[in-house]
Amino acid sequence: MTDPLSLTALAQSDALSRGTLSATELMEATLARIAAVNPSVNAIVSLRDVAALLADARAADAAPRTGWLHGIPIAIKDLAHARGLPTSMGSPVFAGQVAQADDIMVARLRAAGAIIIGKTNTPEFGLGSHSINPVFGATKNPYDTARSAGGSSGGAGVALACGMVTVADGSDMMGSLRNPAGWNNVYGMRPSWGRVPSEPMGDSFLHQLSTNGPMARTPADLAALLDTMAGSDPRQPHGVDAPPTLPQIGGGAQGMRLGWLADWGGALPMEDGVLALCRSALEQMAQLGVTIDALVAPFDRDAIWQSWITLRSWAVAGGLGALHDNPTTRAQLKDTAIWEIERGHALSAMEVHRASVTRSEWFKSAATLFETYDVLALPSAQIWPFDVTLDWPKDIAGTAMDTYHRWMEVVVPASLLGLPAVCIPAGFGGPHDLPMGVQLIGCRGSDAMLLRLAQAWHDATDWPARRPPPKVS
């Protein structure tokens, strides 16, 4: 019998529906893989009781199918609430607190038949692209366990790469679905902002930076999971409803035009080898019928950065400010969280307004680019996976990083505008032969088109199957 963990999620779903695979067999294989691999990478946390999970699988086998995920194990990123499981958010403040209800996105996965097995690791409150926290420790890159897996969806990326799950949820404010996808040789997608709803808590009008989204080892699985997550919530004002993406991803990439933004005209420092690998991937993409043009920087890098850190600090302070106001919980926050909150508290209304004006100007400039190009492309990171014992990289190619998140700047142009972006595996390189990705960025609403290009790329390369982590192969 074919190893069920080598199948895509859609292939698992098909086998389960035809009866050639049982949910019990799939759960047994999943738990065996987790037991064998997870101790060395620390990707899945708060794993549920094995007997309870096997009971859930047997119940799925005995029940009518409720959706395409029926009987498929999924672990939820530890920033989202999954009923009956702890939601630590990587913080001692919330360690051990058990969720009483599912978040919207989790409820949709469960309604489609998914069996929630546990959580995936993340940085404290998702701040920073390095999945380390004082509750569960660090998630390690399966291609080199001495190095970072990225973040904040690092646990999800590693669980996928190691075959512990076939699809995973994540969230992305500042590259958290893209950076770990690139560093773990899988696919991650930041959808158009509003396509996947957040929770109807606090302000639902002003903050448009973070979004939930899917991760997978194939674009088809990415599309299927996005379609399950997506759909507006009537309690929130900016929701987006759109046709399903999965039926639209065929047809190839012939005739698409792509603008390569590289290092933003030399403004973004890059470690040796990153740009060369990404350019090589694009040269291969050109063979699929995609026209590739190198572009000059389309907007001032420093203006984008200042707009971003103003709006981000404002959003973080709005979300975590109550923890900072309480001396007991403030004492349990990491230094970078305190810095971000205090920076947000110090902003004036007009500073926020000016940052939003800059964002609006960048949106107009980007719209002009999309009149010519279907897709803009950037590396998914400016550096190769770094030493897992570091808190964050302090320099890139000799350029000092002035904040804990400056090293992630390459993901900001898409995040600031709420644009959809798919991270595709670009291959392996650098001094340690590690994975890197390319961000494919489209205009708002172009999610299906990006997935079509990603599918064409996957059909030509299939990097996740060609180069699985050594301990899984």
Side-chain angles (χ1 to χ4, degrees):
M1 176 183 174
T2 300
D3 175 9
L5 302 184
S6 69
L7 301 174
T8 68
L10 287 167
Q12 287 178 347
S13 179
D14 181 63
L16 287 163
S17 71
R18 290 186 290 107
T20 58
L21 174 67
S22 72
T24 302
E25 291 169 331
L26 180 55
M27 184 62 73
E28 289 172 343
T30 297
L31 292 172
R33 179 64 59 85
I34 291 170
V37 174
N38 197 56
S40 64
V41 292
N42 192 36
I44 292 180
V45 298
S46 301
L47 183 69
R48 291 176 55 207
D49 176 72
V50 168
L53 289 172
L54 290 171
D56 281 356
R58 290 191 292 269
D61 284 328
R65 284 176 65 80
T66 57
W68 80 276
L69 288 169
H70 190 92
I72 294 179
I74 289 183
I76 302 299
K77 184 175 177 179
D78 198 24
L79 297 182
H81 293 299
R83 184 182 69 250
L85 283 169
T87 310
S88 78
M89 301 189 184
S91 171
V93 174
F94 296 120
Q97 294 192 20
V98 175
Q100 301 303 305
D102 289 334
D103 282 354
I104 295 169
M105 175 267 299
V106 178
R108 290 176 176 179
L109 300 182
R110 205 188 292 269
I115 300 176
I116 309 301
I117 64 172
K119 306 300 279 292
T120 55
N121 204 25
T122 183
E124 184 176 337
F125 299 116
L127 298 177
S129 278
H130 180 30
S131 295
I132 186 169
N133 64 68
V135 179
F136 295 113
T139 296
K140 300 174 182 179
N141 193 302
Y143 289 91
D144 182 345
T145 55
R147 300 194 171 271
S148 172
S152 62
S153 307
V158 172
L160 284 167
C162 292
M164 292 186 273
V165 294
T166 48
V167 286
D169 73 288
S171 56
D172 187 309
M173 177 184 267
M174 195 173 178
S176 295
L177 283 158
R178 292 164 283 164
N179 171 257
W183 280 3
N184 288 285
N185 192 37
V186 298
Y187 294 86
M189 182 176 189
R190 177 191 170 96
S192 293
W193 192 86
R195 187 161 190 149
V196 178
S198 59
E199 292 305 293
M201 299 172 59
D203 173 74
S204 58
F205 278 88
L206 296 175
H207 299 298
Q208 299 190 27
L209 301 181
S210 184
T211 179
N212 294 318
M215 299 180 76
R217 292 196 297 270
T218 73
D221 284 352
L222 206 64
L225 194 63
L226 173 63
D227 292 343
T228 303
M229 294 175 164
S232 62
D233 172 20
R235 298 166 294 177
Q236 300 180 69
H238 299 307
V240 174
D241 291 310
T245 59
L246 183 58
Q248 302 181 63
I249 67 171
Q254 183 72 40
M256 290 189 184
R257 297 203 63 181
L258 182 148
W260 168 232
L261 292 167
D263 58 0
W264 210 264
L268 299 177
M270 298 274 174
E271 276 194 338
D272 286 347
V274 171
L275 289 178
L277 180 69
C278 293
R279 279 195 301 267
S280 177
L282 293 179
E283 288 169 3
Q284 187 174 0
M285 186 176 287
Q287 299 172 21
L288 306 178
V290 180
T291 299
I292 312 289
D293 292 336
L295 301 183
V296 298
F299 201 82
D300 183 75
R301 169 262 190 123
D302 291 331
I304 289 176
W305 178 250
Q306 291 305 315
S307 173
W308 172 257
I309 60 172
T310 296
L311 295 172
R312 176 184 165 95
S313 292
W314 181 52
V316 171
L320 301 179
L323 299 178
H324 182 272
D325 293 342
N326 182 325
T328 301
T329 52
R330 182 170 66 244
Q332 299 177 75
L333 299 178
K334 63 179 181 179
D335 291 345
T336 47
I338 292 172
W339 173 83
E340 193 88 77
I341 295 165
E342 291 181 346
R343 191 175 185 282
H345 280 164
L347 293 168
S348 71
M350 291 311 298
E351 285 176 304
V352 171
H353 170 74
R354 286 190 290 271
S356 193
V357 169
T358 299
R359 171 168 59 178
S360 301
E361 292 171 347
W362 164 221
F363 191 94
K364 288 187 291 185
S365 294
T368 300
L369 284 176
F370 288 123
E371 292 175 0
T372 302
Y373 296 99
D374 302 292
V375 181
L376 304 177
L378 284 162
S380 63
Q382 295 165 236
I383 60 175
W384 302 100
F386 57 84
D387 187 335
V388 72
T389 64
L390 295 178
D391 49 359
W392 48 276
K394 304 303 190 297
D395 73 89
I396 297 177
T399 299
M401 300 292 101
D402 56 0
T403 72
Y404 79 99
H405 47 21
R406 191 69 183 253
W407 66 275
M408 300 143 56
E409 190 174 359
V410 73
V411 302
V412 168
S415 290
L416 186 61
L417 304 186
L419 302 181
V422 175
C423 178
I424 60 169
F428 292 71
H432 302 282
D433 195 33
L434 293 174
M436 180 56 65
V438 169
Q439 300 176 72
L440 304 177
I441 303 165
C443 64
R444 283 208 188 192
S446 65
D447 305 61
M449 180 273 295
L450 292 177
L451 286 164
R452 180 158 63 95
L453 177 54
Q455 184 64 50
W457 173 253
H458 181 76
D459 290 342
T461 60
D462 194 6
W463 276 111
R466 281 173 59 190
R467 289 284 297 269
K471 60 174 53 66
V472 177
S473 59

